[in-house]
Amino acid sequence: MKVRMPVSGSLPYIPCVARGGDSLLVLTDLPTCPGLFYGSRARDGVLSRMRIPGGILSVQQCRSIANLVDRYSTGCLQITNRANLQIRELHSEIPPEVWQDLQELGLASRRVEVDPIRNMMASPTAGIDRQQLLDTRPLVKAWDDYLQTHPELAELSAKFSIGFDGGELVSIRNLRNDILLVAERNSTNFEIVFRLYFNSNTGIIIEQSQTISVLAALANIYLEYTKNRPRIDGKKPRLRHLLADWGVENYLEKVETKLPFPLGRSAIELSEKAIEPNANLGIHRQQQSDFSYIGIALPLGKLESKQLRNLANLAQNLANGTLRLTPWQNLLISDIPNSQVSEVKQQIADLGLHSSATNLDSCLVACAGSSGCASAATDTQSHALTMARDVAQKLTIDRSINIHFSGCEKSCAQHQPMDITLIGIQMQQGNQTIAGYNIYVGKKDQPFGRQIFPAVTVAEMPRAIEKMLRAYHQLREPGESFGEFCDRWAIDKLQKLLRSENH
């Protein structure tokens, strides 16, 4: 029996046969977000998304993924902003035994029902980061195991997300998660504990041994809320809807009724550590002596199956055989003997890749754009790459920045303000409707920063970015990031400065 893939004009899901428990299940329901077993139709074909808990892949898993996309798609993959792997343009029938092989390799959920729930996020340097307070990898696995044995949690929103930050230099604490656990050292007994965040610091302290119990209670109270709350615009309620309805304290009181211990509380600290953009790129010493990791830039997260195979071979031959995906749409090779670092760097260059955080193509984040999404007003992917090539011919940058292209105001690829954010629009020029961007800078004013250039055509956009970068290089203060540079100016003076032809 084969799994029949939809073609143009057919249903917007992948009906598939996959193993669930001791039987084969035929799945036809469409969830909010695509998963591996549940595809969704995009403009460029069927989209399927593979959860990689914690973002860590073995060589065998990499080879199986490469074989899958070569046989059933176009040979290209994309790393997402949750360190998932995304397969676009699926076009062929996939036999059920392929899905079963993926389950056996740990690339697919053992319980199909929970497959669409968002990937657990963790630092890509968990277990190797020299600054980390604890290794979160066992907790990622423990929570994934809990999900696999509690299929009732499939009733939660597919966007339900949990992040584990172990205090690494390559931190995820500023990335959006419904529930975020951040490691810190207890000031009383100096033990490492987690502080609980929703959209902000809750003041709750969780001991390591309590972590899964607390997460389970948080999820189950949320599940009870979901069952008693009508859908919102046809979708399951998000955790943020619960928090808006109940408030944080009321929610936590209900959670405590599910626990055999009280939740620990501590004073809320308002200070936040600055996080350097693209700190995951380049060569870095590990916590383990005599070993390093290298962060490899993948412009817009795109990766060819041939490159994936070659990187897996490189990791097997010169490192420990592990690739780590990042929520910044890049990847790492870890556990490289320091004596092999130069050879690894050369082989990466031979594959047409690099590890520099200051190449403009390392600075890009973009949604699928109009080529893949009906909501997008602009072809963000091609516009971003064209801009990076054009501006790189005219100037170089000496500090990483973040440049976000979004085809519409949904801002699917990046939810928090970036150094530079471009929002796609359709605009009138004479009798024609053409594509363009509103350009925002800095992190003041939600959700995109402050608008600096309204209604810039696609043709004019690279020049606008170039002028902004030149002004930053000439007038910044020592150590000042692009976002900090923009945020310290009054908006009228900043607009005048960045529009000047002198830069």
Side-chain angles (χ1 to χ4, degrees), residues 427-442:
M427 46 196 278
Q428 288 297 126
Q429 192 173 76
N431 296 324
Q432 291 185 317
T433 300
I434 64 171
Y437 290 94
N438 290 329
I439 303 180
Y440 301 78
V441 296

Side-chain angles (χ1 to χ4, degrees), residues 235-499:
K235 298 178 182 179
K236 297 173 183 177
R238 300 283 302 275
L239 185 66
R240 67 170 182 260
H241 297 125
L242 178 155
L243 294 171
D245 283 353
W246 288 357
V248 171
E249 284 304 316
N250 190 16
Y251 178 33
L252 293 174
E253 287 174 7
K254 294 178 186 294
V255 166
E256 281 190 297
T257 67
K258 300 283 188 181
L259 295 170
F261 51 82
L263 291 171
R265 286 171 167 80
S266 176
I268 294 176
E269 298 175 3
L270 298 179
S271 61
E272 294 289 341
K273 296 179 181 178
I275 298 175
E276 184 71 19
N278 288 329
N280 59 300
L281 295 178
I283 300 166
H284 303 270
R285 294 295 180 97
Q286 293 184 187
Q287 185 182 75
Q288 296 79 10
S289 60
D290 301 323
F291 288 91
S292 296
Y293 71 85
I294 185 166
I296 303 168
L298 300 175
L300 301 179
K302 292 183 177 180
L303 186 65
E304 297 175 3
S305 58
K306 181 180 179 181
Q307 290 175 317
L308 180 59
R309 282 194 192 90
N310 288 332
L311 287 169
N313 291 339
L314 191 162
Q316 183 177 48
N317 296 332
L318 299 175
N320 75 337
T322 297
L323 297 184
R324 296 167 177 245
L325 311 182
T326 86
W328 300 279
Q329 298 183 275
N330 300 314
L331 63 79
L332 313 181
I333 296 177
S334 64
D335 301 289
I336 306 168
N338 291 335
S339 60
Q340 301 278 30
V341 167
S342 295
E343 177 63 19
V344 170
K345 188 174 180 181
Q346 181 57 54
Q347 289 197 26
I348 289 169
D350 292 342
L351 296 176
L353 301 171
H354 67 84
S355 60
S356 172
T358 56
N359 279 31
L360 272 171
D361 63 9
S362 304
C363 301
L364 304 175
V365 174
C367 66
S370 56
S371 63
C373 176
S375 298
T378 54
D379 187 1
T380 55
Q381 300 260 321
S382 67
H383 294 164
L385 292 174
T386 298
M387 181 281 296
R389 286 194 296 266
D390 184 83
V391 176
Q393 293 174 359
K394 298 169 184 174
L395 59 81
T396 58
I397 60 174
D398 57 7
R399 180 168 178 167
S400 183
I401 60 174
N402 294 123
I403 306 176
H404 173 207
F405 283 74
S406 183
C408 71
E409 292 194 352
K410 293 179 183 178
S411 193
C412 295
Q414 195 73 49
H415 296 292
Q416 64 267 15
M418 306 286 277
D419 290 328
I420 301 173
T421 300
L422 299 94
I423 304 296
I425 58 172
Q426 291 289 305
M427 46 196 278
Q428 288 297 126
Q429 192 173 76
N431 296 324
Q432 291 185 317
T433 300
I434 64 171
Y437 290 94
N438 290 329
I439 303 180
Y440 301 78
V441 296
K443 298 186 179 181
K444 286 184 178 179
D445 299 341
Q446 297 289 328
F448 307 122
R450 294 186 293 171
Q451 188 177 106
I452 200 75
F453 292 124
V456 178
T457 67
V458 172
E460 295 169 337
M461 177 266 295
R463 174 59 178 154
I465 301 294
E466 178 193 349
K467 287 164 62 176
M468 293 159 65
L469 295 179
R470 288 192 186 279
Y472 164 60
H473 283 168
Q474 292 176 19
L475 300 173
R476 65 188 173 182
E477 295 179 352
E480 190 173 43
S481 71
F482 182 88
E484 291 166 343
F485 167 77
C486 292
D487 286 344
R488 72 176 165 89
W489 293 80
I491 187 63
D492 57 338
K493 292 183 179 179
L494 183 62
Q495 287 174 325
K496 183 178 180 180
L497 174 68
L498 298 186
R499 289 174 185 272

Side-chain angles (χ1 to χ4, degrees), residues 94-162:
I94 299 180
E97 58 266 24
V98 172
W99 302 109
Q100 294 163 18
D101 288 344
L102 293 175
Q103 286 176 317
E104 290 172 7
L105 281 170
L107 288 169
S109 296
R110 299 189 298 276
R111 298 301 303 241
V112 176
E113 302 96 312
V114 300
D115 178 69
I117 292 179
R118 277 186 167 173
N119 195 13
M120 285 76 72
M121 188 183 290
S123 169
T125 57
I128 62 173
D129 196 299
R130 289 186 298 163
Q131 185 175 291
Q132 75 173 26
L133 295 173
L134 62 86
D135 183 354
T136 61
R137 290 176 297 176
L139 290 171
V140 169
K141 184 181 185 306
W143 179 246
D144 189 49
D145 288 343
Y146 185 90
L147 284 178
Q148 304 293 340
T149 54
H150 291 79
E152 68 275 10
L153 294 181
E155 292 302 312
L156 298 176
S157 168
K159 294 183 182 294
F160 180 54
S161 56
I162 292 177

